[in-house]
Amino acid sequence: MARQGRDDRRGDASPVKLIAVAVILIGLVLVSLRLLPGSPFESTAAATWGEPAAPADRGASTPGDRSSRPSPSPSPEPEPLPFEAKDLDLDIDGWYSWSVLDRRSGEIIGSDNMDETSTTASLIKAWIVADYLRRADEKDQTPSDAKLADATRIIRDSDNTRAQQFYNAIGGSASIRRLLAMCELTDSKVAPDGGWSRTALSPRDTARMGACIADGRAAGPKWTKWLINEMRLVRGAGDFGIRKAFPAAERKTIAIKNGWIDRTREQEMHINCLAIGDTWTMGVMVRYPIGKGYEYGMKNCQKITAALLRDPV
């Protein structure tokens, strides 16, 4: 009887074990089918297993998500120059020419004849003073107060005697050759007689010389601000031309050096204007019969400038 009872208990347990084993096997098969690529039971997780989560699964964007980055702001357009390139047809006797250089880009605009030259007269004094100051600094020398006062007189009042003294001290025509090389002038020449007044300069090279002064090549880092300030303080007979075409409040910010002379040999008046603004430099030259006098040319330098301004005064 006891043996029969033990046999009955083993018979009752066997179906339970078989069912449990079957359930486990079925579960394993189903899991395998979900992980098998291409299976109808394939899960999204299985399809992307081993790959980074899709953006929708990540929640917050990551640094690599370009769509979430702010678009860079476009660079603002530079302010236009106060001048417009145009063909002028002005009621002016004689020859005239002009050029403007954009100090930011180096671009030059001007009249068709902006490469033609005329004698500079006192306009070249801006270079003479710049060359004198730079060379002194290159030798570790500081001009005396008296010499700086002389330089002030040359720039503000166009003193001829002091200009000649400075010119002699820096080697005369050798200084003009330095101008041509250092400021990369292409049209201009040393005067046949070697003098400063008859240096041949074009309006295009006048604008280039202005840029050379403004960027520090001419007077050097130590003296450039000093020189430009002196050029803003030009007074008396030499205060005419380009900056007079601007509003009164703006004129004091514009550095200038002008030249004016009656050429009896040619029976001509030669009037020349250089100006340096914050973003530009400009050269204007006029040449006409000597009998018309200085004022005619001085006013025409201003007239030419005014005709080129975007917003005339």
Side-chain angles (χ1 to χ4, degrees), residues 131-180:
D131 197 32
Y132 178 90
L133 294 171
R134 188 196 69 259
R135 285 168 61 80
D137 189 48
E138 289 171 349
K139 298 173 185 177
D140 293 325
Q141 299 173 352
T142 300
S144 65
D145 290 344
K147 281 298 181 184
L148 288 178
D150 286 346
T152 291
R153 291 285 299 276
I154 294 169
I155 298 298
R156 296 191 197 182
D157 303 314
S158 208
D159 187 290
N160 287 335
T161 301
R162 290 173 171 82
Q164 187 64 49
Q165 292 170 352
F166 272 46
Y167 190 63
N168 293 340
I170 56 179
S173 60
S175 174
I176 304 303
R177 285 191 287 272
R178 285 193 293 273
L179 164 65
L180 304 183

Side-chain angles (χ1 to χ4, degrees), residues 107-129:
E107 181 183 0
I108 297 175
I109 60 174
S111 55
D112 290 341
N113 60 351
M114 65 179 174
D115 60 339
E116 296 180 14
T117 63
S118 192
T119 64
T120 63
S122 293
L123 181 147
I124 201 68
K125 292 172 183 173
W127 166 259
I128 293 172
V129 171

Side-chain angles (χ1 to χ4, degrees), residues 6-71:
R6 287 194 295 271
D7 290 342
D8 289 343
R9 286 193 295 271
R10 286 199 297 270
D12 292 339
S14 296
V16 173
K17 291 180 180 180
L18 290 174
I19 292 170
V21 170
V23 169
I24 292 170
L25 290 174
I26 291 169
L28 291 174
V29 170
L30 290 175
V31 169
S32 298
L33 288 174
R34 285 176 61 81
L35 295 175
L36 182 66
S39 167
F41 298 97
E42 180 185 3
S43 69
T44 303
T48 57
W49 183 60
E51 299 177 8
D57 297 329
R58 296 177 195 163
S61 62
T62 66
D65 183 5
R66 293 182 180 274
S67 64
S68 67
R69 295 181 184 176
S71 300

Side-chain angles (χ1 to χ4, degrees), residues 83 99 240-246 251 254 256 258 272-276 280-284 298 301-302 305-306 309:
F83 308 96
S99 183
F240 64 86
I242 295 170
R243 74 177 175 188
K244 293 289 188 180
F246 285 80
R251 292 174 195 169
I254 299 173
I256 65 169
N258 297 320
N272 312 299
C273 299
L274 163 66
I276 301 172
W280 53 269
T281 63
M282 185 176 192
V284 179
M298 292 173 174
C301 262
Q302 179 178 342
T305 306
L309 289 178

